[in-house]
Amino acid sequence: MSWVNDFKDFAMKGNVVDMAVGVVIGGAFGKVVSSFVENVIMPPIGVLMGGTDFSKLAITLQEAVGETPAVLLNYGAFIQSLVDFLIIAAAIFWVVRGMSKLQKAKEEEPAGPTSEELLVEIRDALKNK
């Protein structure tokens, strides 16, 4: 039964729970970005390119024969996935960049006097009295 306790201790550590929350939020964020690209960004780009529906862009490698479907190289879906990736990568870049700036600003804050410095000041003030 000790492995059960070990696993429970591992699963309840803060880092594991934080990571699980991050994965769930990341999955939801990916869906939102995919929907944004598919429904908001790609239609205007398609209109600008003469009414092209990117999701249907494909090269036929082999025509359909009887009940066998055609073999297609769906490069339009790849373009949409590429735009999804670029938006997600940019969003993550901006979040990490913002966090880095906040961390750097926090590190650059002037530190107050140490306990030893304060004790020396108190000692000197008492001596001068």
Side-chain angles (χ1 to χ4, degrees), residues 19-127:
M19 185 177 67
V21 169
V23 167
V24 170
I25 290 174
F29 181 69
K31 289 180 182 180
V32 169
V33 170
S34 294
S35 176
F36 177 70
V37 168
E38 184 178 335
N39 300 313
V40 177
I41 293 192
M42 296 311 273
I45 292 174
V47 168
L48 291 174
M49 295 185 71
T52 305
D53 181 5
F54 277 88
S55 65
K56 294 185 179 156
L57 291 177
I59 296 173
T60 303
L61 299 176
Q62 183 177 351
E63 295 291 333
V65 178
E67 292 188 24
T68 305
V71 178
L72 302 174
L73 183 66
N74 296 313
Y75 68 93
F78 175 73
I79 291 172
Q80 282 190 329
S81 295
L82 188 61
V83 173
D84 284 355
F85 170 76
L86 292 174
I87 290 173
I88 290 171
I92 290 172
F93 168 76
W94 289 109
V95 168
V96 170
R97 183 172 186 240
M99 290 175 65
S100 294
K101 283 187 176 188
L102 288 174
Q103 185 68 21
K104 190 174 183 182
K106 186 177 180 181
E107 289 173 358
E108 291 176 357
E109 288 179 1
T114 63
S115 299
E116 290 81 15
E117 293 170 339
L118 291 173
L119 288 171
V120 168
E121 285 181 29
I122 291 170
R123 181 196 65 196
D124 293 344
L126 290 172
K127 264 188 194 179

